[in-house]
Amino acid sequence: MSSHAGPIDHHHDHTTSTGIPNKKLFMWAFLASDCMFFGTLISTHLIYRLHPPPGSPDVKSIFSIELTSFSTFILLMSSLLMALAVNSLQKGQVRSTRQNLIGTIFFGLIFLACQVYEFSHFVHEKGLTLSNSIFGSTFYVLTGTHGCHVAIGVLWLVLMYIRSFKPADADQGRAWLIKGFFHLIVWGVTIVASMASMLGLVHAIQVGDGFGGFLHHHPVEFGVSILGLIVLWLLSRQEGPVDFGEANAMDVESMGLYWHFVDIVWIVIFTAVYLLEYL
Amino acid sequence: MDAAAQSHFTGKEAGHAVEKRPWIFTRPTAKTGIVSWLTTVDHKRVGIMYGISALLFFLVGGIEALIIRIQLAVPNNTFISHQFYNEMFTMHATTMIFLAVMPLSAAFFNYIMPLQIGARDVAFPRLNGFAFWVFLAGAIVLNVGWFVKSGLPDAGWFGYAPLTSTDFSNQFKADMSTDLWVMGLQILGVSSVVGSMNFIITIINMRAPGMTMMRLPVFTWMTLITAFLIILSFPAITIALVELMMDRSFGTNFFEVSNGGLPILWQHLFWVFGHPEVYILILPAMGIVSEILPTFSRKPLFGYPIIVFSGATIGFLGFGVWSHHMFTTGMGTMATAAFSLATMAIAVPTGVKMFNWIGTMWGGHLQMRTPMMFALGFVWMFLMGGLSGIMHSAAPADAQQQDSYFVVAHFHYVLIGGAVFGLLSGIHYWFPLIFGRRIGEFWGKLSFWVIFAGFNITFFPMHFLGLNGMPRRTAVYDGNMGWNDANFIATVGAFILACGIGIYFAVMLYTYFKGEKAGRDPWDGRTLEWSIPNPPPEYNFAVTPTVHARDAFWYEKHHKEEIAKEKSAHAKEDEAHGGVHMPSQSWFPLMTAIGLLIGGLFFVNHKFVGAICGGTVMFLGIYFWALEGPGGYHVHPSEDDDKSGSYGKH
Ligand SMILES: [Cu+2]
């Protein structure tokens, strides 16, 4: 109900038996289930690492631990931004929520780009593929599944971002959904272009070309992503009273639970798949 | 009653705005007709759809079983090919487990559980509709082999690793069937997990005031435990299926022996799911029986807390014993001994439940109505199945019985004598509530006795067949093995069983159209679902009930003075002003599920463009779903809707 006056108690819902909001409880149940998903995948990987078939690749020569550490750090930072977004919305600051959401999306994208880069690097330069060794199979499927979770999280964040533009005046009908769809397409293009740019950038940094070399090789991707960001910025200015505020803090919070969980799972994967190899 | 005439949009002040929308976003409001069913978010309608589909697939699975039994009736039979036999036993198991028993349980979860806890609906009504449509999508994918050249899945419901590798399964036919099986089960997993999370949240969060956890009806408790088992065990098989799918479609090596893969890993992952699955199938039936026995014994359930805790213990232990399916794979003596012991331990809470049921009937005034007959059949048959189950937990005995007809006899006693008898008794018990008509006693009892006899004639001889060494999953046996008579008897029994099921269905259909009107509370019930008119109105409870004791409705009927003393009119007044909040219907659960179906079918065919198109439909469904909002409107039940002596009107 939108018309309650006074501050909203974010942690207690009087319409449920336990006082915990349904959405939050749902997210906890989902995460319990997801723990089993990742548990199964991680144990599959570890079992095959403990019993490597003859001819297994030398893992340390494949990994590039610096890049992965960097992307891990980025993912942790995105969790921070996510927490800030929840905090902002609990105070009713829609604008700051949006900014933090964009930040979370952006950091999530950097992480994904690093992963895509890592995958293509491993395939093309280190010769590790899905099918040529059991290590490749378990590694790509495990980290790829995690990557899918991050991608779904990014998509969810984008949807929530668009949701925050729903006008408060319901008489305006659902035109905003169509507009939102346009918004979504811009998001899509921007995401793809900035992913490509980041791939180029990571590559340029790795081979020592620096930013100039990156601009030289990837002008289109860079241009499109900048253009996309400008359009997004313009779109984000369409203001007016919106149907998004403190009452939606729970929606953002449960999304945050998901995001933090994916982050924690990555820490486990980073430890079990990468760091353990360096013991 | 025409609910549409009474409902109205209450405008912005109540938080439910009237919206002008482009046509595609017009929320359907039809209360009758095909659209109302396609877009429904009412847990009762979803439950009925689950029930009808499950019963149809139950018939399909039964026909598959008959085909198997005909083939085995006489030695050296040439009724069907070996290939088709493999397809039949694979599909029989898959259909019965995933498309008949589980969705039939889900039908009761959906229909009965919210009524038992005094809720308007489940916690996430649109998600509930989605779970059903996804179930149907998975069922279609599994059965599409009937109509296409590649044929039905044929690697067994356990899908053991070498049998499902591309090398092995493609040597008999250009093989899409295993891909169909993999994809179908993955889609069904989505449905089960999503549905179960909905049930968990509903039970934990949507209870009527006063309905504490230790006052929950036992069926609701078993729903909760089953739902937890589902959300924790299905991920294991889903990942195993993902790995298998990657092996088959993208050349990974998870189960490819030639590249270092370990087929035993498949068995571990499969049974980590597969053993809890047994309890997913049986716990709902235990819950149903625990409702029926007290009602027809005119006594409260004996040892309610114990039955709840033993259910939870069974669920918990169920996770720790998966390897008893793998005693003969050479895990090593320590592992085998440990799993052996843990498995025997499960007999304790199960036995405790048995004594609770007997204690419930002890000294009661037993009313031998048809639901009670099926419930008693359950107790007896399940005891038989449980006893032969304990035999399997001893590893040396299991080494003898492994993959013989003894195992087949055991799990059919548990799954038909247990789960199916429980569900059939539940249909009889709740039929008057759901459809307002009561199944006639004579025909009901006749169907019971025919089913009971047919079942025992079919499966009891299989114990001896198994001990005499007849292996399962063989299409043909030789005439001088000493297996002829028992096999022939079993086949005759299967046809008697089929007749019984036929009578059961015919009686059900007849009752639906012409049966005697049930009247309110026909069994003198104990739980809240009986407190409302039948068939229930779309809003369930005109006034949210306040619960004062376990067996809430019974207490209500027999302790009017105590309740009058402590009742508060507060909640009632609130509702009188606002009406009953109802969720709006929606197209998008259906649209999302259709996208999943299209994507899945094309993916199986390795037509990735088509798969992407399906994915796009699914994505659009999610997009509109996420952004359309829950919606809602208010219904104002009038005083006369509920005049026949209502709960909550003191
Ligand atoms: Cu088992």
Side-chain angles (χ1 to χ4, degrees), chain B residues 64 67-72 76-90 146 149-154 172-173 473-477:
Chain B
E64 286 158 350
I67 294 173
I68 293 173
R69 272 326 311 170
I70 294 173
Q71 168 67 16
L72 294 176
N76 300 315
N77 201 352
T78 52
F79 175 61
I80 52 174
S81 68
H82 289 217
Q83 170 62 31
F84 192 60
Y85 185 87
N86 291 352
E87 293 177 12
M88 283 301 100
F89 78 68
T90 302
W146 287 103
K149 210 171 75 232
S150 80
L152 291 159
D154 62 350
F172 302 109
K173 51 182 184 179
R473 304 172 198 137
T474 20
V476 174
Y477 56 90

Side-chain angles (χ1 to χ4, degrees), chain B residues 3 213 319 352 508 547:
Chain B
M213 290 307 272
F319 269 100
V352 164
M508 209 167 22
V547 175

Side-chain angles (χ1 to χ4, degrees), chain A residues 70-118:
Chain A
F70 168 73
S71 67
T72 305
F73 174 72
I74 288 291
L75 196 61
L76 280 175
M77 289 304 103
S78 78
S79 249
L80 172 66
L81 289 172
M82 185 73 242
L84 290 177
V86 175
N87 192 35
S88 309
L89 199 58
Q90 284 177 347
K91 292 182 194 147
Q93 300 159 348
V94 177
R95 197 177 189 88
S96 146
T97 308
R98 282 187 196 150
Q99 285 161 356
N100 282 315
L101 285 182
I102 293 183
T104 316
I105 295 167
F106 187 67
F107 276 31
L109 283 181
I110 297 182
F111 176 83
L112 277 180
C114 287
Q115 190 166 43
V116 172
Y117 177 83
E118 190 180 51

Side-chain angles (χ1 to χ4, degrees), chain A residues 1 16-18 20 22 26 30 33 36-37 40 44 48 130-131 133-134 137 159 170 173-174 176-177 180-181, chain B residues 14 17 19-21 127 197 201 204-205 207 231-232 235 239 243 251-254 262 269 620 623 627-628:
Chain A
M1 314 277 150
T16 66
S17 313
T18 55
I20 305 167
N22 283 345
F26 184 88
F30 172 77
S33 187
M36 296 295 288
F37 269 103
T40 311
T44 301
Y48 280 126
L130 259 179
S131 49
S133 71
I134 197 95
S137 301
L159 278 181
R174 298 251 158 160
W176 73 274
L177 263 177
F181 205 68
Chain B
E19 292 161 277
K20 284 184 250 142
R21 309 147 183 164
L127 206 58
M197 294 207 270
I201 313 308
I204 294 183
N205 255 357
R207 286 166 285 139
I231 69 164
L232 295 178
I239 290 301
E243 293 175 348
T252 54
N253 310 302
F254 288 101
L262 303 169
L269 297 185
L620 287 176
Y623 175 79
L627 298 183
E628 87 175 334

Side-chain angles (χ1 to χ4, degrees), chain B residues 126-335:
Chain B
R126 285 184 297 173
L127 206 58
N128 202 25
F130 176 69
F132 171 73
W133 297 116
V134 172
F135 156 70
L136 210 54
I140 291 171
V141 172
L142 272 174
N143 278 287
V144 89
W146 287 103
F147 310 107
V148 298
K149 210 171 75 232
S150 80
L152 291 159
D154 62 350
W157 88 280
F158 40 81
Y160 282 154
L163 299 179
T164 48
S165 72
T166 38
D167 295 349
F168 192 95
S169 67
N170 289 9
Q171 62 183 309
F172 302 109
K173 51 182 184 179
D175 191 54
M176 204 178 74
S177 61
T178 306
D179 295 309
L180 284 171
W181 182 79
V182 171
M183 181 55 70
L185 286 192
Q186 281 174 320
I187 294 177
L188 288 172
V190 172
S191 163
S192 306
V193 170
V194 162
S196 300
M197 294 207 270
N198 215 338
F199 298 138
I200 292 175
I201 313 308
T202 304
I203 295 170
I204 294 183
N205 255 357
M206 310 287 284
R207 286 166 285 139
M211 178 65 87
T212 60
M213 290 307 272
M214 287 317 277
R215 284 178 184 169
L216 283 185
V218 177
F219 175 68
T220 299
W221 254 114
M222 294 307 132
T223 306
L224 182 66
I225 296 167
T226 308
F228 267 108
L229 285 178
I230 289 176
I231 69 164
L232 295 178
S233 72
F234 265 70
I237 181 111
T238 304
I239 290 301
L241 289 167
V242 165
E243 293 175 348
L244 181 58
M245 189 179 76
M246 297 294 289
D247 273 7
R248 292 182 58 83
S249 298
F250 303 106
T252 54
N253 310 302
F254 288 101
F255 311 115
E256 289 293 333
V257 189
S258 56
N259 256 334
L262 303 169
I264 197 88
L265 178 67
W266 170 270
Q267 292 203 23
H268 278 290
L269 297 185
F270 181 83
W271 288 114
V272 162
F273 148 80
H275 190 78
E277 173 68 19
V278 174
Y279 299 106
I280 292 168
L281 298 172
I282 197 71
L283 283 171
M286 287 179 167
I288 292 170
V289 166
S290 304
E291 297 291 333
I292 291 175
L293 290 178
T295 302
F296 295 105
S297 303
R298 325 297 303 150
K299 272 178 68 192
L301 186 68
F302 177 75
Y304 170 94
I306 297 176
I307 220 158
V308 167
F309 284 122
S310 64
T313 312
I314 290 174
F316 184 75
L317 286 178
F319 269 100
V321 300
W322 77 90
S323 280
H324 67 212
H325 297 263
M326 302 163 64
F327 283 154
T328 54
T329 58
M331 292 180 298
T333 43
M334 265 318 284

Side-chain angles (χ1 to χ4, degrees), chain A residues 202-258:
Chain A
V202 172
H203 182 72
I205 291 169
Q206 283 238 324
V207 298
D209 274 2
F211 194 69
F214 157 67
L215 274 185
H216 183 71
H217 288 291
H218 304 277
V220 180
E221 292 94 321
F222 187 69
V224 172
S225 57
I226 294 297
L227 193 69
L229 283 175
I230 292 172
V231 176
L232 278 179
W233 182 69
L234 289 175
L235 282 174
S236 77
R237 281 158 53 89
Q238 41 167 276
E239 281 290 358
V242 289
D243 175 37
F244 195 73
E246 282 176 86
N248 302 92
M250 183 41 61
D251 301 5
V252 181
E253 194 178 337
S254 53
M255 182 169 74
L257 279 176
Y258 174 83

